[in-house]
């Protein structure tokens, strides 16, 4: 009988560990998202700084080429941003 | 300092632990001013500890009755509450879409440790009859409960400091 009670306790412990694993998984997902957010924010900031420089006229040499380059980088950023949003939506919908 | 003094100190502090958890929870609501991982974690901690504190006299009375089932109830109810607390931590974070903080992780590990100690002690006392974990049980459970209070306070302070630093360093 004592073994049966012990096994019941062990089963509840395993369920507790399972819930803990899920919580840990959520923690790692949150950390990845926070890192991605920080990286995207930093890139957006860099793009804005470059735009300001272009508008003020700090980038004198080949300004048209620099403008094209900036537009290309912005398009790339927007595309990655959209993909990231889709990925996160997918993650949240299928999360655990 | 002898074991008797330590035991008396642990017992006295153990009774105050629930009050400390509750005060931390109320403080977190006023400081955070929104739903956050810290508020969720402290709420679950206060509720789970409150339930255990409220049930202890009844379970003690039951456990003093003859029969293995009553002894099992003592350990089983505590393990069950620990398990439910971890599940609630996960569920609330998931439902309220909150990032899991380091404090939530620490509290979950503490509940896991408490459940393991209860299970080991049951095995030790009624299955293997070795009485090896008596001291671990006697001092480990109140020690974990008491240690959580300063640990939460330290991690909270560190998190607040790093959040302030991030606000100051934010571009714009």
């Amino acid at each position: 009988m004592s073994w049966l009670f012990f096994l019941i306790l062990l089963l509840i412990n395993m369920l507790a560990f399972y819930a803990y694993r899920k919580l840990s998984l959520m923690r790692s997902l949150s950390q990845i998202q926070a890192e991605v957010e920080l990286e995207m924010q930093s890139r957006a900031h860099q793009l804005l700084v470059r735009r300001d420089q272009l508008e003020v006229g700090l980038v004198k040499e080949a300004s048209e080429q620099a403008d094209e380059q900036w537009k290309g980088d912005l398009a790339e950023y927007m595309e990655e941003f959209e993909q990231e949003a889709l990925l996160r939506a997918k993650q949240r919908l299928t999360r655990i | 300092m002898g074991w008797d003094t330590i035991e008396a100190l642990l017992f006295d502090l153990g009774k105050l632990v629930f009050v400390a958890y509750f005060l931390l929870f109320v403080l977190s609501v006023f400081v955070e001013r929104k739903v956050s991982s810290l508020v969720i974690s402290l709420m679950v901690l206060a509720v789970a500890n409150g339930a255990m504190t409220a049930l202890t006299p009844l379970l003690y009375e039951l456990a003093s009755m003859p029969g293995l089932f009553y002894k099992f109830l003592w350990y089983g109810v505590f393990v069950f509450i620990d398990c439910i607390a971890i599940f609630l931590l996960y569920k609330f974070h998931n439902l309220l879409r909150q990032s899991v903080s380091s404090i939530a992780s620490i509290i979950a590990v503490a509940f896991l440790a408490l459940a393991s100690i209860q299970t080991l002690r049951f095995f030790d006392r009624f299955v293997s009859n070795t009485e090896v974990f008596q001291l671990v049980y006697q001092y480990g459970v109140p020690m974990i409960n008491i240690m959580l209070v300063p640990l939460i306070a330290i991690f909270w302070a560190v998190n607040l400091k790093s959040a302030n630093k991030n606000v100051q360093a934010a571009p714009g």
Side-chain angles (χ1 to χ4, degrees), chain B residues 18-66:
Chain B
F18 171 68
V19 180
Y21 290 162
F22 188 72
L23 286 178
L24 275 174
F25 167 62
V26 173
L27 194 68
S28 73
V29 171
F30 281 104
V31 173
E32 298 278 305
R33 282 178 291 180
K34 62 178 167 55
V35 177
S36 71
S37 176
L38 177 79
V39 174
I40 294 170
S41 310
L42 288 174
M43 184 187 68
V44 171
L45 184 66
V47 167
N49 197 268
M52 287 193 230
T53 311
L55 283 172
T56 300
L58 173 73
L59 289 172
Y60 191 77
E61 209 175 300
L62 285 172
S64 56
M65 286 161 75

Side-chain angles (χ1 to χ4, degrees), chain A residues 47-61:
Chain A
L47 279 169
L48 285 172
V49 167
R50 274 173 57 198
R51 185 73 251 170
D52 278 352
Q53 285 175 344
L54 278 172
E55 279 175 8
V56 171
L58 282 175
V59 186
K60 283 188 179 102
E61 70 277 3

Side-chain angles (χ1 to χ4, degrees), chain A residues 20-41:
Chain A
Y20 173 71
R21 284 272 304 158
K22 282 185 155 192
L23 192 75
S24 301
L25 196 65
M26 262 184 82
R27 180 162 162 73
S28 43
L29 275 178
S30 322
Q31 276 176 337
I32 292 168
Q33 280 173 6
E35 278 168 25
V36 170
E37 264 168 33
L38 203 66
E39 198 190 315
M40 295 303 273
Q41 195 185 352

Side-chain angles (χ1 to χ4, degrees), chain A residues 1-6 8-10 12-13 15-17 19-20 22-24 26-27 30-31 33 41 45 92-93 95-96, chain B residues 68-69 72 76 79-80 83 86-87 89-90 93-94 98-102 105 108-109 112 115-116 119 122-123 126-127 171:
Chain A
M1 196 63 175
S2 56
W3 272 102
L4 177 72
F5 287 144
F6 173 64
I8 293 171
L9 287 182
L10 212 59
I12 305 174
N13 260 274
L15 288 174
F17 189 71
Y20 173 71
K22 282 185 155 192
L23 192 75
S24 301
M26 262 184 82
R27 180 162 162 73
S30 322
Q31 276 176 337
Q33 280 173 6
Q41 195 185 352
H45 177 66
R92 283 190 182 164
L93 284 174
R95 189 188 275 177
I96 315 151
Chain B
L68 186 62
F69 177 71
F72 165 73
V79 174
F80 181 71
C83 176
I86 301 173
F87 177 74
L89 273 177
Y90 157 70
H93 277 93
N94 199 16
Q98 292 298 313
S99 302
V100 182
S101 65
S102 50
S105 271
V109 169
L112 211 57
S116 308
T119 309
F122 183 85
F123 180 83
F126 301 107
V127 182

